[in-house]
Amino acid sequence: NHADYLGSATTHYVYRFAQDYRQPIWTQVEAAALIAEIEPQSLLSIAQRHFEQAKADDLIFLRRHLLTVIADHASEHPPLYSIVPLAQKDTSDFVRQGLVNILPSLPSALVLQLITPLSEDRSEQVRASLVLQLPILVSQPDLVESCSQQIVKFLAPTQTPFVLRTTLHSSVD
């Protein structure tokens, strides 16, 4: 445990920075990343607070970065995966795109829960981001059928031109 090498005062200080809205955004981001290294169970409460109390366009960079940190540490601390469904409901397209970007590092059972709602997301940018992740996700045997279904859905004429073009370009590659 990395926290053993730091004093409790130092750990508390970093934890406070990760939660203090008055701190510059990148200070909060880096403090959250450090908390993930020294005390991953504390990252869960920080992330829950940020996602449950999120306001439109409020700290979107922090929430998106938290998803990356969670993806990097959840395999060693599985309770962190509980944050992922909260991100799927985030008001920010930018944050939901960040969720799509971490799908390849999530367990396939969790991806299967998220893939359909993300494929129906109101934002064409989120849907197009999912299209770009499908070739990576299809390498997981449990996801082949679902990914194939999504590709067919994204090729439907009812899709927006942007999502359709992205699907076609992704299919050619």
Side-chain angles (χ1 to χ4, degrees):
N1 185 354
H2 298 297
D4 295 340
Y5 299 107
L6 300 173
S8 62
T10 303
T11 303
H12 181 70
Y13 184 72
V14 173
Y15 185 80
R16 223 178 47 222
F17 269 101
Q19 295 192 91
D20 188 350
Y21 286 106
R22 297 169 300 183
Q23 294 299 321
I25 187 70
W26 293 113
T27 301
Q28 293 178 61
V29 163
E30 292 304 324
L34 185 54
I35 285 293
E37 292 293 332
I38 61 176
E39 213 174 76
Q41 68 277 9
S42 295
L43 180 64
L44 180 60
S45 64
I46 292 167
Q48 274 180 316
R49 194 172 124 251
H50 283 295
F51 279 98
E52 289 173 351
Q53 299 175 5
K55 299 177 187 99
D57 297 328
D58 177 44
L59 300 174
I60 61 174
F61 297 105
L62 176 61
R63 292 196 310 277
R64 184 167 170 156
H65 184 73
L66 281 170
L67 288 173
T68 304
V69 173
I70 286 167
D72 291 344
H73 293 87
S75 63
E76 297 99 37
H77 194 69
L80 289 172
Y81 287 125
S82 68
I83 299 302
V84 174
L86 296 175
Q88 192 263 318
K89 296 175 178 118
D90 200 283
T91 58
S92 168
D93 298 353
F94 180 72
V95 174
R96 293 193 313 280
Q97 280 179 287
L99 171 58
V100 169
N101 291 342
I102 68 163
L103 288 177
S105 62
L106 298 177
S108 56
L110 186 52
V111 173
L112 286 170
Q113 290 174 21
L114 296 167
I115 200 164
T116 298
L118 288 169
S119 73
E120 297 167 352
D121 196 279
R122 66 186 174 274
S123 165
E124 68 179 358
Q125 290 83 5
V126 172
R127 295 191 311 271
S129 292
L130 179 58
V131 166
L132 297 174
Q133 293 301 320
L134 290 175
I136 300 165
L137 293 171
V138 80
S139 67
Q140 297 178 37
D142 297 349
L143 300 177
V144 170
E145 184 179 338
S146 183
C147 289
S148 299
Q149 291 169 352
Q150 297 310 319
I151 290 170
V152 170
K153 182 190 289 187
F154 287 134
L155 288 171
T158 55
Q159 279 297 336
T160 64
F162 176 66
V163 174
L164 189 55
R165 273 193 322 274
T166 304
T167 305
L168 291 170
H169 284 294
S170 178
S171 297
V172 172
D173 290 342

